[in-house]
Amino acid sequence: GNSVTQMEGPVTLSEEAFLTINCTYTATGYPSLFWYVQYPGEGLQLLLKATKADDKGSNKGFEATYRKETTSFHLEKGSVQVSDSAVYFCALKIQGAQKLVFGQGTRLTINP
Amino acid sequence: EPEVTQTPSHQVTQMGQEVILRCVPISNHLYFYWYRQILGQKVEFLVSFYNNEISEKSEIFDDQFSVERPDGSNFTLKIRSTKLEDSAMYFCASRAGTSGNSPSTDTQYFGPGTRLTVL
């Protein structure tokens, strides 16, 4: 079946640290890949996406590259800020299917 | 910027009662979804809706659940007889979509959620 596995949280970093949140997937077919972010008290917001192998999604300083050979879509940011504190969800969608399949989420806390 | 809205933000109900969760999707979107997130667990797909009918549903979406688009703007999720295990955050989402499901219209936009507490 289709599934997404994220690194275990919570993750706590200091401001300006380098961030990596690992995401790997199992999918039948060729999925589109997404990172969503959930700030405290809010809903899910699309952070970035990639629709085919070797595509790089980027937004707000975050990046993730679709790696078909390692079935991964790791989220990175070079210098995190306190305002990046949130829960981050990796997700996939198989072409032709309707649903998003989510990972378990990774809670990120950035300390000043 | 257009956004998906949901009401109420928090609903408390007694076990066995019916609840209706309401969503207003983005106005020109064609595909509508409900997901739920039980506290501490993954976000799970419940159902998708297109052209006034269910297009896909999960095993969670049993006969206790129904969806409706009653008036061309609202999209509702009804739970007929709530159970304790229905307590969760329920998210509505919408997607622009085209008949070809091209990657450029793949993005689902989520509302802020309704927290349902069943006592």
Side-chain angles (χ1 to χ4, degrees):
Chain A
N2 303 311
S3 65
V4 176
T5 302
Q6 292 180 232
M7 67 185 289
E8 290 288 328
V11 174
T12 303
L13 296 172
S14 298
E15 206 164 20
E16 299 183 3
F18 183 86
L19 168 72
T20 301
I21 300 178
N22 289 336
C23 171
T24 57
Y25 67 89
T26 302
T28 55
Y30 300 99
S32 295
L33 301 173
F34 304 83
W35 277 101
Y36 279 83
V37 58
Q38 185 179 29
Y39 297 105
E42 300 184 17
L44 298 164
Q45 300 176 25
L46 179 67
L47 180 60
L48 54 83
K49 68 178 184 180
T51 57
K52 61 183 188 296
D54 300 324
D55 269 3
K56 178 186 283 188
S58 61
N59 186 26
K60 299 182 182 179
F62 290 89
E63 293 183 340
T65 301
Y66 188 141
R67 300 283 188 205
K68 185 180 172 186
E69 63 276 12
T70 54
T71 61
S72 64
F73 193 55
H74 304 322
L75 183 68
E76 296 182 336
K77 186 174 185 181
S79 176
V80 293
Q81 306 300 313
V82 172
S83 57
D84 294 326
S85 297
V87 181
Y88 291 81
F89 293 91
C90 186
L92 67 81
K93 179 184 172 300
I94 300 297
Q95 192 170 6
Q98 293 296 320
K99 66 182 180 183
L100 286 168
V101 176
F102 285 90
Q104 67 268 40
T106 302
R107 181 176 298 280
L108 173 67
T109 301
I110 308 299
N111 294 321
Chain B
E1 185 175 330
E3 57 184 19
V4 177
T5 59
Q6 291 185 242
T7 55
S9 57
H10 191 188
Q11 174 89 48
V12 181
T13 189
Q14 295 290 326
M15 190 169 56
Q17 294 296 304
E18 174 183 287
V19 294
I20 297 176
L21 310 183
R22 302 180 191 281
C23 168
V24 178
I26 295 173
S27 64
N28 61 344
H29 283 190
L30 302 177
Y31 293 82
F32 313 110
Y33 307 85
W34 285 100
Y35 292 81
R36 77 173 185 191
Q37 183 183 27
I38 296 172
L39 188 64
Q41 298 186 23
K42 291 186 179 187
V43 177
E44 302 172 290
F45 168 79
L46 293 178
V47 66
S48 63
F49 192 84
Y50 170 71
N51 199 26
N52 282 320
E53 61 183 27
I54 291 173
S55 50
E56 189 175 343
K57 62 181 182 179
S58 73
E59 61 275 9
I60 302 169
F61 194 87
D62 61 20
D63 292 343
Q64 293 298 314
F65 292 88
S66 62
V67 290
E68 194 178 30
R69 189 155 161 81
D71 56 13
S73 61
N74 290 283
F75 179 51
T76 62
L77 174 69
K78 182 192 289 186
I79 309 175
R80 289 192 184 81
S81 178
T82 50
K83 308 183 189 70
L84 295 177
E85 55 265 36
D86 293 328
S87 295
M89 182 72 89
Y90 288 80
F91 293 105
C92 173
S94 69
R95 176 171 73 92
T98 64
S99 58
N101 281 325
S102 72
S104 62
T105 55
D106 243 359
T107 302
Q108 295 182 23
Y109 295 88
F110 285 75
T114 292
R115 180 166 298 284
L116 175 66
T117 301
V118 182
L119 302 176

